[in-house]
DNA sequence: TTGTACGCGTTATCAG
DNA sequence: CTGATAACGCGTACAA
């Protein structure tokens, strides 16, 4: 990098003090004569002045950066969240630093550390770590933190939750309403609050209807990857259909898994929804592009990102740090992967 | 944020100079007695010392940050690219700052400006701006820049290209090889080098075979959004099948478009591939999850990201800035959306 | 081995 | 209105 030009350089060229230059170039409201202002602006333009944010931020002891930690950006759900975050961050003049924890607690902690060192104004985190040491530390240091997606039991942290339980309940009830009684639930490892929530919702709905729950859980928890989820869906469908009392409807803990289920059913010569019905969870865009379009539970990803960022920005603005606890509600996206057994 | 503790604070607590503290806490190889070292480390631990990167970077006049500009992170293709970039960045101790240009030239320029101010070490850019003023400026300032995906005609810029032309050619040839003669090409607006490249490849293959090309272009260029692409695919398929000589195979400029094409065909009661064959372009993961699994041209997104980052890191390391111009080759992913008319 | 002192680029304070 | 100067937190010559 060629030596960059500073306010001092410009000051010399304009025969003024660097203070004046700074006042002009940082759009301070401090009065500077029009003559000087235009002269300085002109010179800055000529020499291609680029302000050094590091100096500025160090001086002001404040950045306009927020961090976000998600499991993986290649998960369409999370990329929508990040997209939403960036959207409002940009409007508010913030810059966002996004990190993939890859479901690795160590990596998650590392990134939190990096963010602290970067002096970010706040962090949005979808944490999968069970040991929240680092996260607690963050909050202790009075950092603005918002947890999304994964519920945290820590004190003093604002959260945007999603009612996974209700989502699972809703799905099971919907299937029951369509006349299904033998309803299976396939899920990735039940090691996260969100996943447990959906599962319990499903169980409760089944119990309430006096139906026998039927759950298949994939027990290993590999690094996230859409294809892996898809394959997991296939595997779980295989298990579920292999038994002596196969279900008439399969509910999956996420859409990608549901894609795998549908694929596997087709491979086995079964039609969806005429032979077996399938429901997903999340409501990612591609769900409506496949065949049949997937009936699913919508989790407002993009809106969640926007809301999280908005809340974070508000927190950084206000002197006091009000605690919020928003709970977003599930919505059923009725498409064409479920058959009505009543009619 | 509570007042953060600095090397000076620790120096006072340990009754040593801040220089010594700095030497210890920054893992300098400068000799410090074991006794002092452990004492300082202990105190730093106790007071929750967090180094301030701004001070450090300002002093060293160098960051470990690289920037990447893409049209949109919710495009699965780009999220894979970014994922690849982050992967090697992390290994190399770099931090990445990702921005969505939303296909807006002004926004792209704004982000380039921000990156310069942030003192990033290098920039990876998939630029859609036609006026490359800002980008040229970047290069003039001796910044490390790598263009990906979209070919730039500027001088002095390293690029990772993809042979779109060959990809388009390959696809058309493949369809011809399967006995198709009436092959349509549907594409979003032909305003980018990449899109033009694919189209020309298709045209050349058709000409070579003495076949009449049949292109439908969607002329408006809306902000990127998977659903929008899908709908565009539907619209284009509608037009294409509405004519008096509908094609037996439709080749789409990207996979999402192809999804839309397939959907529309199904709505019209046409089976893929038995009635009409469909090919996509990009090779995003979901292509194998739909029905029928999409035959497509693979553009190595993740690998492209990794390679770009690796090159950038190498550039920042070496004193000299060697110019690279890698051209990645297309690969045909043969799945089940194309019917063989020969057999 | 440790300490002193300066400077990185910027802005804020205070004096003129 | 303008200028000199200190300070943000850190690393590092240079001196001790």
């Amino acid at each position: 990098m060629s030596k960059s030009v500073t306010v001092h350089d410009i000051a010399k060229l304009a025969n003024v003090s660097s203070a004046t230059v700074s006042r002009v170039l940082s759009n301070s409201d401090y009065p500077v004569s029009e003559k000087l202002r235009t002269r300085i602006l002109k010179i800055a333009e000529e020499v291609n002045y680029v302000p050094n944010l590091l100096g500025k931020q160090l001086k002001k002891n404040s950045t306009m950066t927020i961090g976000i930690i998600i499991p993986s950006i290649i998960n369409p759900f999370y990329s929508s969240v990040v997209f939403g975050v960036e959207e409002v961050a940009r409007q508010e003049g913030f810059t966002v630093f996004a990190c993939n924890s890859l479901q690795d607690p160590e990596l998650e902690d590392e990134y939190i550390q990096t963010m602290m060192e970067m002096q970010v104004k706040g962090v949005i985190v979808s944490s999968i770590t069970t040991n929240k040491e680092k996260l607690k530390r963050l909050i202790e240091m009075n950092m603005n933190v918002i947890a999304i997606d994964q519920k945290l039991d820590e004190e003093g942290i604002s959260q945007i939750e999603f009612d996974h339980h209700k989502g699972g309940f809703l799905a099971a009830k919907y299937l029951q309403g369509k006349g299904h009684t033998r309803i299976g639930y396939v899920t990735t490892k039940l090691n996260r609050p969100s996943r447990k929530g959906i599962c319990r919702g499903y169980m409760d709905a089944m119990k309430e209807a006096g139906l026998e729950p039927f759950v298949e859980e994939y027990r290993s928890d590999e690094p996230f990857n859409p294809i892996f989820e898809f394959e997991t869906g296939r595997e779980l469908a295989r298990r579920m259909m292999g038994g002596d009392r196969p279900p008439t409807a399969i509910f999956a803990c996420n859409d990608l898994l549901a894609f795998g289920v549908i694929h596997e059913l087709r491979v086995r010569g079964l039609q969806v929804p005429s032979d077996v019905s399938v429901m997903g969870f999340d409501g990612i865009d591609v769900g409506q592009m496949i065949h049949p379009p997937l009936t699913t539970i919508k989790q407002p990803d993009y809106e969640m990102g926007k809301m999280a960022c908005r809340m974070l920005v508000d927190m950084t603005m206000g002197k006091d740090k009000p605690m919020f606890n928003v709970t977003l509600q599930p919505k059923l996206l009725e498409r064409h992967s479920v058959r009505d057994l009543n009619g």
Side-chain angles (χ1 to χ4, degrees), chain A:
Chain A
M1 227 62 48
S2 51
K3 196 88 199 66
S4 56
V5 6
T6 73
V7 281
H8 300 294
D9 302 326
I10 297 181
K12 284 211 186 80
L13 290 171
N15 277 319
V16 295
S17 77
S18 57
T20 307
V21 174
S22 169
R23 296 199 258 255
V24 171
L25 296 180
S26 61
N27 290 315
S28 158
D29 48 5
Y30 202 93
V32 175
S33 72
E34 227 19 72
K35 205 184 298 189
L36 260 190
R37 158 164 279 114
T38 51
R39 182 146 60 97
I40 290 171
L41 250 20
K42 182 153 164 273
I43 295 180
E45 173 74 28
E46 285 169 3
V47 297
N48 272 335
Y49 171 70
V50 175
N52 186 328
L53 261 188
L54 295 157
K56 197 178 291 210
Q57 293 175 337
L58 177 57
K59 174 64 189 175
K60 299 197 143 181
N61 193 24
S62 152
T63 67
M64 287 292 268
T65 307
I66 64 171
I68 174 167
I69 298 181
I70 51 166
S72 164
I73 193 74
I74 57 175
N75 182 328
F77 177 78
Y78 291 113
S79 65
S80 282
V81 173
V82 170
F83 193 71
V85 170
E86 277 212 37
E87 181 83 13
V88 349
R90 181 165 41 78
Q91 287 166 16
E92 302 289 341
F94 279 78
T95 247
V96 5
F97 172 52
C99 305
N100 303 120
S101 72
L102 306 178
Q103 316 211 68
D104 176 352
E106 272 185 53
L107 203 50
E108 182 178 320
D109 282 356
E110 251 175 60
Y111 278 130
I112 291 178
Q113 177 69 26
T114 303
M115 287 179 181
M116 297 200 296
E117 299 188 1
M118 288 174 95
Q119 313 294 113
V120 298
K121 279 299 240 197
V123 351
I124 296 169
V125 53
S126 165
S127 174
I128 45 79
T129 307
T130 43
N131 174 2
K132 312 287 187 190
E133 267 312 310
K134 209 88 189 184
L135 211 51
K136 271 188 202 159
R137 180 90 58 94
L138 250 190
I139 298 162
E140 275 166 24
M141 301 188 77
N142 212 13
M143 173 72 81
N144 301 303
V145 180
I146 290 183
I148 57 169
D149 183 45
Q150 299 295 328
K151 182 169 170 55
L152 297 188
D153 290 324
E154 307 304 321
E155 291 297 316
I157 184 170
S158 287
Q159 309 204 33
I160 299 186
E161 296 178 45
F162 176 73
D163 198 334
H164 292 93
H165 181 276
K166 192 182 286 182
F169 189 85
L170 212 64
K173 274 295 166 197
Y174 173 77
L175 290 170
Q176 290 167 10
K178 292 296 179 188
H180 294 270
T181 52
R182 184 72 178 147
I183 302 168
Y185 181 62
V186 293
T187 178
T188 45
K189 200 173 178 196
L190 291 169
N191 57 353
R192 296 201 217 160
S194 57
R195 294 175 181 169
K196 286 181 197 160
I198 303 174
C199 189
R200 280 191 300 101
Y202 156 84
M203 300 283 267
D204 288 349
M206 294 299 275
K207 188 184 296 178
E208 196 177 288
L211 296 173
E212 189 187 343
F214 180 18
V215 176
E216 280 287 355
E217 173 187 1
Y218 193 85
R219 296 189 185 275
S220 56
D221 197 26
E222 308 285 321
F224 182 87
N225 169 329
I227 295 178
F228 183 77
E229 299 273 319
F230 177 74
E231 292 297 341
T232 300
R234 294 192 59 178
E235 164 65 17
L236 291 173
R238 217 172 288 139
R239 286 191 210 159
M240 199 156 254
M241 301 309 290
D244 35 325
R245 280 185 60 219
T248 61
I250 299 179
F251 171 37
C253 75
N254 69 52
D255 289 343
L256 293 168
L257 224 64
F259 295 168
V261 170
I262 291 177
H263 187 91
E264 180 62 23
L265 290 172
R266 197 187 312 268
V267 166
R268 300 170 86 92
L270 266 15
Q271 292 289 330
V272 176
S274 49
D275 295 327
V276 180
S277 296
V278 177
M279 272 193 78
F281 200 101
D282 276 355
I284 59 178
D285 288 340
V286 281
Q288 64 186 273
M289 307 186 192
I290 69 160
H291 183 79
L294 185 69
T295 295
T296 188
I297 300 293
K298 178 66 186 177
Q299 193 176 358
D301 39 22
Y302 174 67
E303 291 73 17
M304 183 183 275
K306 294 218 311 191
M307 180 176 286
C309 192
R310 175 81 52 210
M311 278 169 58
L312 199 54
V313 168
D314 288 348
M315 284 167 77
T316 64
M317 297 306 187
K319 268 275 168 270
D320 52 336
K321 298 209 175 54
M323 286 264 306
F324 294 95
N325 245 21
V326 180
T327 300
L328 298 175
Q329 296 302 314
K331 214 176 88 186
L332 191 114
L333 254 39
E334 191 164 14
R335 295 201 279 239
H336 307 288
S337 62
V338 173
R339 176 176 172 196
D340 189 343
L341 260 33
N342 300 315

